[in-house]
Amino acid sequence: MVWTLQVEYAIQNTGLHKCESRVKKQLNDLAMLVREDLSAVHLQTLQALIVLDIHARDITTMLYEKQVTSLNDFNWIAQLRYYLERLPEKKSERQASGLRRVSVRQTIADLPYGNEYLGNTTRLVITPLTDRCFRALTAAYHLNYGGAPEGPAGTGKTETTKDLAKAIARMCVVFNCSDNIKAQEFEKLLRGLAATGGWGCFDEFN
């Protein structure tokens, strides 16, 4: 969320060169912290932050090199961005005007942040292919569709789906399908997902 604010402010005002320098400095500071004597919990948190900050650095550098000067540029709106927004005021609830929510945007998608506590987990290294998969899945989710990543075994289809669920704070249940699964078992799984609002990742669905 802070990175989104910094980049948008830089695009509109100061320019992306200073923002790029700030992101690199923050990444170097995190790298220095890793060398200290830390607990396993703190070390894992820093590892996840470094993975995300490396991607933020790469995106900021790309935006600077492509001389992005508009918030509507596709190179910017194609990124996963977080915003803290004020909820619309309701006449029946006068106190609701002070409430805020976090929304996640990417291309046409505008998704509510799930606020699901998933624990202190690791994050997937984000590549250009991961970004493309994220764009397809978020757009499909925004349009009330599902997604079906296709590719050879071991290329990270399941892990990419799980990492996107982490990015928008949604519980993701991975279910390995097989010929032995009965309709009643699958029904229970679907009912549970519908009740909790979580995602279902059906591995080997074919």
Side-chain angles (χ1 to χ4, degrees), residues 58-96:
D58 294 342
I59 295 301
T60 309
T61 302
M62 180 270 293
L63 295 173
Y64 174 65
E65 290 175 350
K66 293 193 175 183
Q67 299 181 351
V68 173
T69 57
S70 171
L71 297 181
N72 295 321
D73 192 295
F74 180 77
N75 292 301
W76 173 238
I77 65 173
Q79 309 306 323
L80 202 63
R81 314 179 313 279
Y82 298 84
Y83 296 91
L84 183 63
E85 300 176 324
R86 189 181 299 275
L87 290 174
E89 187 173 356
K90 299 179 181 179
K91 294 182 180 179
S92 59
E93 301 176 8
R94 294 184 178 179
Q95 296 179 350

Side-chain angles (χ1 to χ4, degrees), residues 128-202:
L129 185 59
T130 312
D131 274 332
R132 289 176 61 190
C133 190
F134 278 9
R135 284 196 290 272
L137 290 176
T138 51
Y141 184 48
H142 177 73
L143 297 171
N144 296 320
Y145 287 107
E150 184 181 359
T155 52
K157 300 181 295 295
T158 301
E159 291 301 320
T160 300
T161 306
K162 287 168 58 180
D163 199 68
L164 178 59
K166 290 179 187 177
I168 64 174
R170 290 280 182 184
M171 180 181 66
C172 183
V173 178
V174 179
F175 189 74
N176 289 296
C177 302
S178 69
D179 297 337
N180 300 322
I181 301 301
K182 297 180 180 179
Q184 290 81 1
E185 297 174 358
F186 204 69
E187 177 193 353
K188 288 182 180 179
L189 175 65
L190 293 178
R191 280 161 53 185
L193 290 175
T196 59
W199 284 10
C201 182
F202 305 109

